[in-house]
Amino acid sequence: MNKKKTIVFIDSDINLIEDLQRRFMLEPDYKIVGVATTGADGFTKVQVQQPDFVVIANPLPDTDSLQLIQSIARTHPEVRKIVTLEVENPMLSSQCMQAGAVYTLVKPYSADKLIEVMKRIEVKPPVYAAQGQFNNIDYSQNKVGQNMNQNNGG
């Protein structure tokens, strides 16, 4: 039996979190191990749980999401960071990627879309994405991908 991939959600939208929790209870491949409504609580949950994925809302009420992404990238570069945006904003999306995110989604999004994204990222982790394997995302400035490439002699 495969080990379920773990997720921490950091989002102040309680209704969205509750909807995602209901859907993920039925998901055989993924398990929510932490939910936080603030960046500070979310960072602590990532430190304790060390999930495979963290889904971070931008904006958050108490924290600059870009700084949170950078902090998680520094302390847990192996965690795949997905950022959800209130509106489509290519510049903000690019800033999130430069901070260490591996993907951005625009709200509203479905749990099925998030699962699809996680499966794609799982198959092609950031080190491969840095080599241009994902379309519509430029990972060339992704610090996580650069660190991984440096560790692999790239």
Side-chain angles (χ1 to χ4, degrees):
M1 184 171 143
N2 289 337
K3 178 183 171 239
K4 287 188 175 191
K5 298 293 181 179
T6 56
I7 311 162
V8 167
F9 283 99
I10 307 172
D11 197 317
S12 61
D13 185 343
I14 301 299
N15 293 327
L16 174 64
I17 295 294
E18 288 174 352
D19 289 345
L20 290 170
Q21 285 178 312
R22 280 192 290 277
R23 172 59 177 85
F24 275 91
M25 286 193 315
L26 306 172
E27 180 56 41
D29 298 326
Y30 299 96
K31 177 181 177 183
I32 298 173
V33 295
V35 171
T37 57
T38 66
D41 187 32
F43 185 76
T44 300
K45 288 212 175 12
V46 169
Q47 296 288 72
V48 171
Q49 296 295 331
Q50 299 184 14
D52 297 298
F53 296 92
V54 61
V55 180
I56 305 165
N58 186 319
L60 287 168
D62 69 325
T63 306
D64 179 324
S65 297
L66 292 173
Q67 289 180 351
L68 179 60
I69 297 163
Q70 289 172 334
S71 295
I72 294 171
R74 268 193 309 276
T75 58
H76 295 285
E78 73 285 355
V79 175
R80 293 168 173 103
K81 292 152 284 298
I82 299 169
V83 179
T84 61
L85 306 174
E86 294 290 324
V87 295
E88 190 167 340
N89 181 333
M91 181 173 278
L92 181 56
S93 181
S94 176
Q95 290 171 340
C96 290
M97 303 305 274
Q98 289 175 8
V102 295
Y103 205 93
T104 60
L105 281 174
V106 177
K107 290 181 178 181
Y109 61 90
S110 69
D112 290 335
K113 175 63 177 175
L114 179 59
I115 291 166
E116 174 190 320
V117 166
M118 289 189 302
K119 286 181 189 261
R120 283 179 37 200
I121 293 169
E122 196 175 330
V123 171
K124 296 178 183 175
V127 69
Y128 298 116
Q131 298 169 0
Q133 296 299 315
F134 281 99
N135 38 354
N136 84 338
I137 300 173
D138 177 11
Y139 282 85
S140 62
Q141 297 299 312
N142 183 326
K143 291 176 177 60
V144 175
Q146 287 178 352
N147 291 341
M148 293 169 85
N149 283 339
Q150 289 170 355
N151 292 339
N152 292 330

